[in-house]
Amino acid sequence: MGDSEEGEIWTQQKRTLIDGVAERLLNGDLDSKIQAAIDIRNILRNSSVKTRSKFTAAADVIQPLVSLLLSPNQHAAEVSLLALLTLAARNERNKVRIVTSGAVPPLVELLEFQNGRLRELAIAAILTLSAAAPNKLTIAASGAAPLLVQILSSGSVQGKVDAVTALHYLSSCTEATTPVIDARAVSPLIKLLKDCKKYSKFAEKTTALLEILSKSEEGQTAISNSDGGILTLVETIEDGSLVSTEHAVGALLSLCQSCRNKYRELILKEGAIPGLLRLTVEGTPEAQERARMLLDLLRDSPPEKRLASSVLERIAYDIAARVDGSDKAAETAKRLLQDMVHRSMELSLGRIQRRAASCTPSQIPPT
């Protein structure tokens, strides 16, 4: 038997299998529907995106699976969720069809469920569906976000990771008429950022959300009032990835721009200057600009007497051009600024050590 004949027989077998599964899912009793949902997942678990698309086109299984989500039988809800997640994996069209078939309201109900397994699957489903741009507005308006914020405090480790990612997707929904998250998210986000690796993808998403929250007065107050809130952002500037440092300095800049008198000392107290100086040299272009703006706001001198960071760079460039010529000026200027940053950090550390040495034990503030 030739390859084409084997392929044709396999196609016929698969079509018969798909038709049987769809029939049981549509018209069978509850046990038959549960088994059909399990079969769908088993058939598609290791299949290609193309196969998933063909399966969905051949049998309209999404709507009956969404209906099964509403079942009071927890096992039925679980297997339908698993089947829907399998259909949605790496398939944008299926993600959109699942939402347009009415999956979001039952998923939101499951986010409130006490059954940990079902809630974890619902979080994963909201995350997966939120990745598709056409779904964001529907999910953002569904009431899912406040429940995801609650999970930041009470969920499992995986649940918290998925909740942050889902909120990160939803926060980019420009069509939403109200903010997706509010200041209640600040405290759990700060705690999560404090406990994670600052250069991780998770930290990047967490700091992105904190930067969004730092734009409102309530968010600014929540960041400054959170235990270690400003310090955690300063530590992210020192140890984070290019993306997380950009968001962290953006959040601190929002605070200082909103009320310099209120936030300047709080930021200085946490030792932000060395990290900001380094960022003016090593950060992304956006992070460099934000760091310069924040450094200008943190200086003691009044605005009209401040030496702007851009002026400092221009001076370094002019010196470099005279020494090494214009061809190498940019590289030499960067090296000069790096030396200045390191020297500034050494001087700051020296001043702190001298101050500590001159204090009596009773004068040293408690740590």
Side-chain angles (χ1 to χ4, degrees), residues 256-269:
C256 213
Q257 285 177 326
S258 70
C259 184
R260 180 176 180 269
N261 291 337
K262 180 177 180 180
Y263 294 111
R264 176 179 172 274
E265 289 299 328
L266 294 175
I267 296 171
L268 286 171
K269 180 182 175 183

Side-chain angles (χ1 to χ4, degrees), residues 68-87:
L68 200 57
L69 273 180
L70 298 167
S71 171
N73 184 299
Q74 292 186 17
H75 184 49
E78 180 177 329
V79 296
S80 65
L81 249 177
L82 288 167
L84 287 168
L85 279 166
T86 305
L87 284 163

Side-chain angles (χ1 to χ4, degrees), residues 334-352:
K334 182 176 180 180
R335 198 161 55 246
L336 279 171
L337 286 168
Q338 286 175 327
D339 291 342
M340 291 168 66
V341 168
H342 294 148
R343 180 58 179 157
S344 173
M345 293 172 71
E346 289 171 1
L347 290 172
S348 296
L349 182 59
R351 283 196 297 271
I352 292 170

Side-chain angles (χ1 to χ4, degrees), residues 126-175:
I126 291 289
L127 160 61
T128 301
L129 298 174
S130 298
N135 292 340
K136 290 180 181 180
L137 180 58
T138 300
I139 299 172
S142 70
L147 296 171
L148 292 171
V149 170
Q150 290 179 18
I151 289 160
L152 297 180
S153 299
S154 62
S156 66
V157 172
Q158 188 59 54
K160 291 174 181 177
V161 170
D162 287 350
V164 165
T165 305
L167 289 168
H168 184 251
Y169 283 141
L170 294 175
S171 66
S172 66
C173 179
T174 55
E175 297 91 349

Side-chain angles (χ1 to χ4, degrees), residues 56-74:
T56 310
D60 187 10
V61 296
I62 287 179
Q63 186 63 62
L65 283 171
V66 170
S67 298
L68 200 57
L69 273 180
L70 298 167
S71 171
N73 184 299
Q74 292 186 17

Side-chain angles (χ1 to χ4, degrees), residues 218-267:
E218 295 81 5
Q220 293 155 8
T221 301
I223 290 171
S224 62
N225 289 344
S226 292
D227 181 26
I230 291 177
L231 175 60
T232 302
L233 290 170
V234 169
E235 289 173 343
T236 304
I237 290 172
E238 294 171 346
D239 302 325
S241 68
L242 289 174
V243 174
S244 58
T245 54
E246 183 176 310
H247 290 309
V249 73
L252 292 179
L253 179 61
S254 292
L255 264 64
C256 213
Q257 285 177 326
S258 70
C259 184
R260 180 176 180 269
N261 291 337
K262 180 177 180 180
Y263 294 111
R264 176 179 172 274
E265 289 299 328
L266 294 175
I267 296 171

